[in-house]
């Protein structure tokens, strides 16, 4: 297993796409962090800010998940789909015919890069949002225990997304299909469904079981939740739900893509 | 080096309505180069993929030594395989490609450099594979197969895309592997490509075994023939008939079937017949190969 992990890690770091995606992620999250912070601190006279104080800070910093999760998902999915796109899967399975071990190594190998993405992504959001919150709002709250916990859990969430990305890639081994589905789901389907569920009393709780909702629950704050209509799960349940998605997709990928003949 | 034998036993692969490989049985012995031959689409690659655990057989099995490929604890150390020249990440350098697979075959980074040098790619070690020519990719594939210095070597169409110099190089390498006692299986759709380097031939067509023997034995099935130019062709024709050979006119001369050039020359000399040209015109292996691999319906 150690050899398989080392091989998978080398596969990641010997290509460039990851660093490019991280760069884009940083730029994007600095911008979004600043924009959302601005919406909290620049309010017309007499109007109530949507959120203020610590809530504003926590919600801004949670954007690393709410907006940023597409990046680790794509990075993770690429780790798997690239094997099929460039047919390196043949050589990979020649040296590791145990396909379960291959998949496990692949899932675990993205954790370091996921954590790295989490750190830089979280720093980017803070870099974008904190100055505005501190200068114009009620403060950046970077010394607050709850806020710090949210920041650290944001890093963990991003790493989990990378793992889920690998699992998604094992189900959708076609690279283009995987990216299109991830983009559509994260940018369009899930936000709309979460807001939609929030409008229906009987289904309010269900939104937290969607992957993005569970991730927000783990962090303890949600951009969509800032409207006060989205319930969040307890943290332990959120972890279980996220790991459940990873395991579910991975098992599905093992039973479909990785059960088939290669070649 | 005591290398394992490859045993293909009743191997069958059904793809929907198509039986790509049909009850194939043959063995590949160590210390020799075995040519695995057949036209494109004959089922060679599917057979190799079943041998290497990439494709699951519909029936039968393929053994590397005493067990299936995937049942070896570290199969990459036992069998070095190069299946297709295009299965590289284009963004990775040649050296990085080898280093990616090095941990699982248990070799060091230094070994990667060494193998790259051995296949003549040391100058391109830091170049991205996307910029490699087809010939360079073939060499990189071979380098991947040789990483662990394995006792069994399986190469699928290794001469595709190689320049003549590269083909000669591959031939020499294959002979060297066999000389070292390794088990070597090389597929090709052209007998001519591997004729100079194989000891054994396994010929398949339409997924079925058509012929398996040593190359020498296959050669004996080819009929000898000679092309002769003589000032008195009628005398020569009579001589051929007398010896039980058939002679047919061909341009300025005659083609004598059933005799080697030496036999024709000796007979003409004994009979005092003047010859102006005498050339070997044996039914070559390629023609025999073509005959052996003709579609079932056309035979």
């Amino acid at each position: 297993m150690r050899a398989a992990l080392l091989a998978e890690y080398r596969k990641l770091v010997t290509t460039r796409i990851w660093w490019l995606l991280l760069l884009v992620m940083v730029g994007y999250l600095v911008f979004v962090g600043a924009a959302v912070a601005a919406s909290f601190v620049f309010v017309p006279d007499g109007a109530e800010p949507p959120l203020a104080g610590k809530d504003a800070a926590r919600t801004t910093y949670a954007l690393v998940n709410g907006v940023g999760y597409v990046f680790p998902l794509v990075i993770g999915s690429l780790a798997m789909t690239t094997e099929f796109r460039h047919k390196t899967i043949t050589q990979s399975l020649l040296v590791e015919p145990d396909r379960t071990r291959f998949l496990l190594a692949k899932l675990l190998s993205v954790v370091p890069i996921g954590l790295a993405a989490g750190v830089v992504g979280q720093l980017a959001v803070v870099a974008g949002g904190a100055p505005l919150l501190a200068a114009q709002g009620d403060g950046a709250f970077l010394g607050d225990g709850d806020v710090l916990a949210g920041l650290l859990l944001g890093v963990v969430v991003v790493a989990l997304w990378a793992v889920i990305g690998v699992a998604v890639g094992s189900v959708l081994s076609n690279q283009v299909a995987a990216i299109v589905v991830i983009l559509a789901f994260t940018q369009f389907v899930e936000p709309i469904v979460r807001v939609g569920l929030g409008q229906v009393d009987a289904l309010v709780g269900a939104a937290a079981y969607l992957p993005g909702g569970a991730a927000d629950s783990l962090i303890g704050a949600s951009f969509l939740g800032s409207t006060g209509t989205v319930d969040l799960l307890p943290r332990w349940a959120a972890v279980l739900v996220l790991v459940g998605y990873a395991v579910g997709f991975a098992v599905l990928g093992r039973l479909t893509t990785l059960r088939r003949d290669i070649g | 080096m005591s290398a394992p034998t490859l045993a293909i036993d009743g191997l069958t692969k059904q793809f929907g309505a198509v039986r790509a490989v049909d009850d194939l049985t043959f063995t590949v012995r160590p210390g020799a180069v075995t040519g695995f031959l057949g036209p494109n689409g004959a089922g060679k690659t599917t057979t190799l993929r079943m041998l290497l655990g990439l494709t699951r057989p519909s029936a039968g099995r393929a053994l590397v030594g005493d067990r299936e490929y995937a049942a070896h604890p570290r199969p990459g150390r036992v069998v070095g395989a190069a299946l297709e020249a295009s299965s590289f990440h284009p963004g990775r350098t040649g050296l990085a490609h080898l280093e990616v697979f090095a941990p699982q075959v248990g070799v060091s980074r230094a070994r990667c450099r060494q193998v790259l040098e051995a296949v003549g790619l040391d100058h391109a070690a830091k170049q991205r594979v996307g910029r490699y020519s087809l010939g360079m990719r073939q060499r990189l594939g071979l380098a991947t197969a040789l990483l662990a210095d394995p006792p069994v070597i399986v190469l699928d169409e290794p001469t595709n895309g190689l320049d003549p110099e590269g083909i000669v190089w591959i031939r020499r390498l294959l002979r060297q592997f066999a000389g070292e006692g390794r088990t070597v299986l090389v597929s090709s759709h052209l007998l001519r490509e591997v004729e100079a380097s194989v000891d054994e031939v396994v010929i398949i067509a339409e997924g079925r075994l058509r012929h398996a023997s040593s190359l020498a034995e296959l050669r004996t099935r080819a009929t000898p023939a000679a092309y002769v130019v003589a000032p008195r062709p009628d005398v020569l024709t009579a001589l051929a008939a007398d010896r039980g050979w058939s002679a047919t006119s061909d341009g300025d001369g005659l083609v004598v079937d059933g005799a080697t050039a030496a036999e024709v020359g000796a007979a003409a000399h004994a009979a005092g017949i003047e010859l102006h040209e005498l050339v070997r015109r044996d039914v070559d292996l390629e023609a025999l190969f073509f005959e052996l691999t003709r579609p079932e319906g056309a035979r």
Side-chain angles (χ1 to χ4, degrees):
Chain A
M1 191 67 191
R2 252 188 75 193
L5 277 169
L6 181 56
E8 291 305 330
Y9 177 73
R10 284 186 183 172
K11 281 178 196 169
L12 283 171
V13 296
T14 50
T15 51
R16 288 171 298 184
I17 185 77
W18 328 100
W19 310 117
L20 291 174
L21 280 168
L22 285 190
L23 274 180
V24 176
M25 179 187 186
V26 166
Y28 186 50
L29 286 179
V30 168
F31 167 75
V32 172
V36 170
S39 77
F40 292 150
V41 297
F42 297 116
V43 283
D45 286 338
E48 275 287 302
L51 281 177
K54 205 163 97 177
D55 284 344
R58 291 185 64 186
T59 300
T60 303
Y61 304 150
L63 287 166
V64 72
N65 173 55
V67 172
Y69 73 142
V70 63
F71 291 97
L73 265 179
V74 167
I75 287 174
S77 75
L78 284 176
M80 186 56 91
T81 56
T82 299
E83 295 263 9
F84 288 90
R85 177 164 173 218
H86 298 301
K87 296 183 184 167
T88 49
I89 185 73
T90 295
Q91 186 60 36
S92 296
L93 293 182
L94 280 179
V95 296
E96 182 51 84
D98 184 336
R99 297 183 182 189
T100 303
R101 192 183 296 167
F102 165 74
L103 178 58
L104 274 176
K106 191 73 105 182
L107 288 164
L108 293 176
S109 70
V110 297
V111 170
I113 219 157
L115 288 172
V119 169
V120 297
Q122 192 69 81
L123 287 176
V125 174
V126 171
L132 278 173
L133 292 171
Q136 295 288 328
D138 305 322
F141 291 93
L142 287 172
D144 182 274
D146 287 342
V147 172
L148 283 177
L151 289 177
L152 286 176
L153 287 166
V155 173
V156 172
V157 160
V158 171
L160 277 172
W161 280 124
V163 176
I164 294 173
V166 173
V168 169
S170 74
V171 177
L172 292 167
S173 60
N174 180 305
Q175 190 161 79
V176 175
I179 291 176
V180 167
V181 166
I182 288 172
L183 286 178
F185 185 81
T186 59
Q187 306 303 300
F188 185 68
V189 177
E190 191 180 30
I192 287 179
V193 171
R194 281 178 70 186
V195 170
L197 288 173
Q199 308 304 315
V200 184
D201 285 347
L203 298 173
V204 164
Y209 290 91
L210 290 171
D216 276 344
S217 301
L218 181 52
I219 293 175
S222 168
F223 178 52
L224 292 168
S226 64
T227 55
T229 55
V230 175
D231 288 349
L232 295 177
L233 297 171
R235 280 189 170 136
W236 63 266
V239 169
L240 285 184
V241 170
L242 284 176
V243 171
Y245 276 109
V247 171
F249 281 123
V251 168
L252 192 59
R254 178 64 186 87
L255 295 178
T256 54
T257 310
L258 286 171
R259 223 173 75 89
R260 294 192 195 115
D261 292 340
I262 301 296
Chain B
M1 181 177 290
S2 86
T5 297
L6 308 181
I8 310 293
D9 181 15
L11 209 55
T12 300
K13 182 66 186 183
Q14 189 88 30
F15 289 119
V18 181
R19 188 157 279 209
V21 175
D22 190 359
D23 196 18
L24 199 56
T25 300
F26 64 89
T27 58
V28 182
R29 66 177 171 92
V33 179
T34 300
F36 186 36
L37 309 167
N40 287 325
K44 302 186 298 291
T45 301
T46 304
T47 303
L48 295 182
R49 286 184 169 274
M50 286 192 280
L51 169 68
L52 298 169
L54 296 166
T55 296
R56 191 174 308 146
S58 308
R61 57 181 193 163
L63 299 183
V64 177
D66 60 349
R67 62 188 83 178
E68 289 180 353
Y69 177 87
H72 286 270
R74 271 199 181 176
R77 293 192 67 80
V78 181
V79 181
L83 286 187
E84 46 196 330
S86 57
S87 53
F88 305 104
H89 191 296
R92 229 168 251 148
T93 67
L95 184 60
H97 167 79
L98 295 180
E99 286 175 350
V100 158
F101 296 106
Q104 286 155 302
V105 295
V107 300
S108 66
R109 292 191 142 155
R111 170 67 185 163
C112 297
R113 280 203 164 276
Q114 193 188 341
V115 176
L116 216 49
E117 208 167 298
V119 301
L121 281 179
D122 38 334
H123 66 284
K126 298 281 185 189
Q127 210 175 335
R128 291 179 197 286
V129 178
R131 295 175 56 199
Y132 276 27
S133 68
L134 182 56
M136 289 165 80
R137 283 163 202 242
Q138 285 283 18
R139 285 169 188 262
L140 184 58
L142 191 63
T144 316
L146 296 180
L147 262 184
D149 198 18
V152 181
I153 292 167
V154 175
L155 306 175
D156 194 10
E157 304 270 358
T159 50
N160 270 3
L162 283 185
D163 50 21
E165 186 197 351
I167 291 174
V168 171
W169 170 73
I170 283 266
R171 273 181 200 154
R172 203 173 301 141
L173 212 53
L174 293 175
R175 292 314 317 160
Q176 185 195 323
F177 293 152
E180 289 162 354
R182 296 181 214 247
T183 308
V184 187
L185 182 62
V186 185
S187 84
S188 178
H189 62 285
L190 292 170
L191 176 57
R192 205 184 324 119
E193 292 274 292
V194 295
E195 191 186 331
S197 48
V198 301
D199 306 289
E200 304 283 334
V201 287
V202 172
I203 299 174
I204 69 166
E206 298 173 314
R208 295 213 187 121
L209 185 70
R210 291 285 174 84
H211 180 90
S213 75
S214 67
L215 181 66
E217 196 184 320
L218 182 67
R219 277 218 169 91
T220 63
R221 293 185 45 169
T223 32
Y227 176 72
V228 202
V229 178
R232 292 286 308 277
D234 53 321
V235 180
L236 197 63
T237 306
L239 174 72
D242 190 42
R243 297 285 179 117
W245 306 328
S246 74
T248 44
S249 78
D250 180 1
D252 294 336
L254 294 167
V255 173
V256 180
D257 281 310
T260 64
E263 287 167 334
V264 173
H269 178 70
I273 300 170
E274 181 182 350
L275 299 183
H276 289 176
E277 268 184 52
L278 178 60
V279 184
R280 280 178 59 175
R281 184 68 80 77
D282 302 339
V283 170
D284 62 338
L285 281 171
E286 199 62 28
L288 190 61
F289 174 62
F290 184 68
E291 177 62 30
L292 280 168
T293 56
R294 257 162 56 181
E296 197 73 64
R299 296 181 91 197

